[in-house]
């Protein structure tokens, strides 16, 4: 009788790793320049003062300071960093 080896294992393997998205540093917490504040897909949160957006929509701090989340025009969410001197 002809046998064919079970190929269950080769049909699997489509499980991808989680992307670890979300807010990494919350409002009121201290950041240093270069720290990632939010990892996201699309601009759920927008870059405010002293914050820049990377090509994968990641928001990161440009200066040392304190993170602040606030609503801006048309009720959009913005993330800013208030520098140490002002905080």
């Amino acid at each position: 009788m002809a046998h064919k080896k079970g190929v269950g294992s080769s049909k699997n393997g489509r499980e991808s790793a989680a992307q670890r998205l979300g807010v990494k540093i919350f409002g009121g917490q201290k950041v240093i320049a270069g720290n990632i504040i939010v990892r996201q897909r699309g601009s759920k949160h927008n870059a405010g003062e002293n914050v820049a957006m990377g090509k994968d929509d990641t928001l990161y701090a440009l200066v040392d300071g304190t993170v602040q989340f606030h609503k801006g025009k048309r009720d959009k969410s913005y993330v800013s960093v208030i520098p140490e001197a002002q905080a």
Side-chain angles (χ1 to χ4, degrees):
M1 202 171 177
H3 290 287
K4 184 174 179 183
K5 188 174 182 182
V7 289
S9 61
S10 66
K11 287 184 179 178
N12 298 333
R14 286 181 292 278
E15 186 70 29
S16 60
Q19 294 184 320
R20 279 98 176 162
L21 301 177
V23 177
K24 305 300 176 186
I25 300 172
F26 292 89
Q29 290 185 303
K30 303 277 187 196
V31 289
I32 57 174
N35 277 10
I36 291 174
I37 303 168
V38 181
R39 301 251 303 137
Q40 60 186 355
R41 290 293 166 261
S43 55
K44 182 177 180 185
H45 303 282
N46 295 276
E49 289 184 44
N50 302 312
V51 174
M53 185 179 286
K55 68 176 186 175
D56 65 345
D57 299 318
T58 295
L59 299 181
Y60 60 94
L62 295 175
V63 297
D64 296 357
T66 307
V67 175
Q68 179 188 39
F69 285 81
H70 54 94
K71 295 285 186 178
K73 292 180 182 177
R74 297 189 180 149
D75 215 33
K76 284 186 174 183
S77 174
Y78 286 86
V79 183
S80 298
V81 173
I82 292 103
E84 290 287 323
Q86 290 180 305

